[in-house]
Amino acid sequence: MAVSNDSHPAEFILLGFADRPWLQLPVFIILLVTYPMAMMGNIAIILVSRLDPRLHSPMYFFLTNLSFLDMCYTTSIVPQMLLNLGTSTKTISYAGCAVQLYVFHLMGASECLLLALMSVDRYVAICRPLHYTIIMSQRNCILSVSVMWLCGMTYAFSEATVTLQLPLCGVNKLDHLLCEMPVLIKTACGEKEANELALSVVCIFILAVPLCLILASYASIGRAIFNMKSSAGRKKAFGTCSSHLIVVLLFFGPGISMYLQPPSSITRDQPKFMALFYGVVTPTLNPFIYTLRNKDVKGALGNLLRSIFVPSRQQVK
């Protein structure tokens, strides 16, 4: 396929694990199992959060948004990965690559900001309980989530548009499982130092600033929990906050390793395994982390399951 420097290819070839063909079947099976689990788990979280009146609080409003984000996040990449690994089709159209680039980075950036909002919610609930209903009012929650989506869209559309305009000099092979900014920048030819710098600077605000806010919030929460006189209150606060901290570590760790270093310094296999981790593993584990460590969610899920299955049994009798 002849492609000039000032044009884009009609399609990209995603090499994936072409250099390690023995990995393709195990990864395909893992994706085939985890993707439905991620979808069902996150749908369950959304349902119980909306149907159970006891979960109509800011914490579960944010959790519902997190589950929706995770569903969109993993759906933006897993079907393409399954097609790549399970068939001989290793290509993605330029338009498909662009859509994947926008959606994947929109969801990723929004999740960074949402996790910071969730930590602020926990900080206010534990450290400023008397002001909680005022600070975390329904209006403020909706406003903060709207700003989160707007910031995520601004980041994704600005960075992805600039990345897609980089010259590829006839190269249409990406050594990856999906279209991702660092890999596209690394594949581009010509002067791209400005793009690397811009991506690093923007990611400092999208990744590092929210992470610092989360750590500062939990430093204050930790002191407040330590000073609690009630062991039951201490245990409940620790259980709720530890779930969120586990999710933060699972998401931010791989994200920082990919986006807070210049794309030119990224190793060959790093993007593939990192994408599998924060695009597949984390959305699959999040519902189980919040369910297993939260009595309210477990109770609401149990009530939902009983309402579905118990009446059907009674009708059979």
Side-chain angles (χ1 to χ4, degrees):
M1 179 178 64
V3 183
S4 60
N5 287 2
D6 58 351
S7 69
H8 58 73
E11 61 185 19
F12 288 103
I13 299 171
L14 299 172
L15 298 178
F17 293 110
D19 57 332
R20 292 183 177 88
W22 57 272
L23 264 178
Q24 295 192 49
L25 182 59
V27 174
F28 176 80
I29 293 171
I30 291 170
L31 292 178
L32 201 60
V33 172
T34 57
Y35 180 57
M37 288 174 60
M39 297 300 289
M40 289 188 293
N42 284 296
I43 289 171
I45 292 287
I46 292 172
L47 285 176
V48 298
S49 297
R50 301 313 302 162
L51 296 177
D52 194 315
R54 294 174 300 173
L55 302 185
H56 291 176
S57 66
M59 175 181 168
Y60 297 103
F61 171 72
F62 292 132
L63 184 56
T64 300
N65 277 271
L66 179 65
S67 294
F68 176 73
L69 270 172
D70 281 340
M71 287 170 60
C72 297
Y73 197 38
T74 191
T75 299
S76 70
I77 61 171
V78 172
Q80 176 63 43
M81 287 182 177
L82 288 171
L83 187 68
N84 182 293
L85 296 167
T87 68
S88 58
T89 304
K90 307 294 182 186
T91 59
I92 183 172
S93 67
Y94 180 84
C97 181
V99 170
Q100 188 179 73
L101 198 68
Y102 284 121
V103 175
F104 182 72
H105 289 90
L106 163 62
M107 298 303 160
S110 299
E111 186 155 337
C112 291
L113 301 174
L114 180 58
L115 290 173
L117 286 176
M118 293 174 76
S119 71
V120 171
D121 171 67
R122 291 299 84 207
Y123 166 78
V124 177
I126 294 172
C127 301
R128 299 286 185 272
L130 298 179
H131 301 93
Y132 184 76
T133 54
I134 299 173
I135 297 173
M136 303 307 296
S137 64
Q138 184 180 26
R139 178 181 175 276
N140 288 342
C141 289
I142 293 173
L143 181 63
S144 61
V145 168
S146 301
V147 172
M148 172 205 81
W149 281 107
L150 181 62
C151 291
M153 281 187 245
T154 303
Y155 161 76
F157 280 89
S158 59
E159 285 297 316
T161 301
V162 171
T163 301
L164 288 169
Q165 291 175 350
L166 287 170
L168 295 171
C169 301
V171 177
N172 73 326
K173 293 182 178 179
L174 299 179
D175 193 9
H176 202 1
L177 292 161
L178 65 143
C179 293
E180 195 173 5
M181 269 188 234
V183 175
L184 279 168
I185 293 174
K186 188 176 181 178
T187 305
C189 58
E191 296 294 328
K192 52 189 178 182
E193 287 77 13
N195 296 81
E196 292 187 348
L197 179 61
L199 182 62
S200 298
V201 170
V202 172
C203 286
I204 287 174
F205 290 97
I206 294 294
L207 277 166
V209 172
L211 182 59
C212 289
L213 180 61
I214 291 168
L215 295 176
S217 297
Y218 276 100
S220 299
I221 289 170
R223 287 196 297 269
I225 291 175
F226 182 76
N227 292 328
M228 282 183 180
K229 295 180 180 179
S230 168
S231 59
R234 191 184 302 119
K235 185 177 179 181
K236 183 178 180 180
F238 180 77
T240 304
C241 295
S242 61
S243 300
H244 184 243
L245 268 179
I246 293 169
V247 171
V248 166
L249 293 174
L250 288 173
F251 185 79
F252 276 90
I256 287 172
S257 71
M258 270 293 293
Y259 285 88
L260 288 187
Q261 63 172 316
S264 55
S265 66
I266 293 172
T267 61
R268 183 178 182 182
D269 291 326
Q270 184 181 351
K272 303 168 193 176
F273 291 107
M274 291 298 101
L276 285 171
F277 197 89
Y278 55 68
V280 179
V281 176
T282 304
T284 304
L285 292 179
N286 283 357
F288 296 99
I289 292 170
Y290 280 108
T291 302
L292 294 175
R293 299 185 66 86
N294 190 305
K295 290 183 179 179
D296 293 334
V297 176
K298 280 194 289 188
L301 188 58
N303 292 336
L304 178 64
L305 293 174
R306 280 191 292 272
S307 68
I308 294 172
F309 294 110
V310 172
S312 63
R313 288 180 182 177
Q314 290 175 347
Q315 288 174 6
V316 171
K317 292 180 181 180

